[in-house]
């Protein structure tokens, strides 16, 4: 079976967590790195990400994540539409880019639902809001 053509500007359905079936993945940018090959910069929209640092304790989007093709292949289900043109992913990308270039960041190669759970765990471990 041929590899799907993932292109920046696409929105996809994916294997969501329970109660997040309306969530979509927006492919924002694709880098080609010598060590990691294709790196897909995505936003995961319309999620219920627990985050005690925000009013109401809920984050509705993960604006930036750097993921492998394997992550997309394991998670994406169908092309949905053109993605929105929201630029809020760029701040996270800039932080990731600097850290990656310094050897202090990598890319996710696990399914998207597991990435969301991992992020929740890291945020929860960072302590309660003050």
């Amino acid at each position: 079976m041929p590899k799907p053509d993932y292109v920046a500007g696409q929105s996809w359905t994916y294997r969501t967590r329970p109660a997040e079936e309306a969530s979509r993945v927006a492919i924002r940018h694709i880098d080609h790195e010598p060590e990691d090959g294709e790196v897909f910069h995505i936003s995961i929209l319309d999620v219920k990400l627990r985050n005690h640092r925000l009013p109401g304790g809920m984050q509705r989007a993960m604006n930036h994540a750097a993921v492998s093709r394997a992550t997309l292949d394991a998670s994406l289900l169908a092309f949905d539409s053109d993605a929105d043109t929201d630029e809020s992913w760029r701040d996270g990308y800039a932080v990731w880019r600097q850290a990656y270039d310094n050897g202090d960041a990598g890319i996710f190669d696990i399914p998207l639902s597991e990435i969301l759970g991992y992020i929740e765990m890291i945020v929860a471990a960072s302590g309660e809001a003050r």
Side-chain angles (χ1 to χ4, degrees):
M1 201 163 120
K3 290 182 180 180
D5 289 328
Y6 301 128
V7 177
Q10 294 176 332
S11 174
W12 288 74
T13 60
Y14 70 101
R15 290 179 178 84
T16 63
R17 302 187 302 177
E20 292 180 338
E21 290 80 10
S23 180
R24 296 292 181 266
V25 171
I27 300 174
R28 302 298 190 185
H29 180 72
I30 303 168
D31 283 327
H32 298 275
E33 300 297 336
E35 304 247 335
D36 291 307
E38 290 177 300
V39 178
F40 297 87
H41 300 277
I42 62 167
S43 299
I44 307 174
L45 308 172
D46 201 16
V47 291
K48 297 176 180 86
L49 201 58
R50 291 186 306 274
N51 185 340
H52 63 268
R53 296 174 178 213
L54 296 178
M58 199 64 63
Q59 183 174 324
R60 299 299 302 169
M62 185 171 168
N63 290 322
H64 176 262
V67 304
S68 67
R69 174 174 279 278
T71 290
L72 297 184
D73 288 345
S75 302
L76 299 188
L77 296 172
F79 172 76
D80 185 53
S81 65
D82 290 337
D84 64 36
T85 56
D86 184 1
E87 296 286 314
S88 57
W89 65 274
R90 290 187 179 276
D91 290 341
Y93 174 79
V95 170
W96 174 88
R97 179 85 258 168
Q98 183 174 4
Y100 185 86
D101 289 346
N102 290 337
D104 297 327
I107 66 172
F108 286 109
D109 63 356
I110 59 177
L112 296 172
S113 60
E114 291 180 29
I115 292 170
L116 292 170
Y118 174 77
I119 296 300
E120 284 182 331
M121 184 181 69
I122 296 300
V123 171
S126 70
E128 291 301 317
R130 299 197 171 145

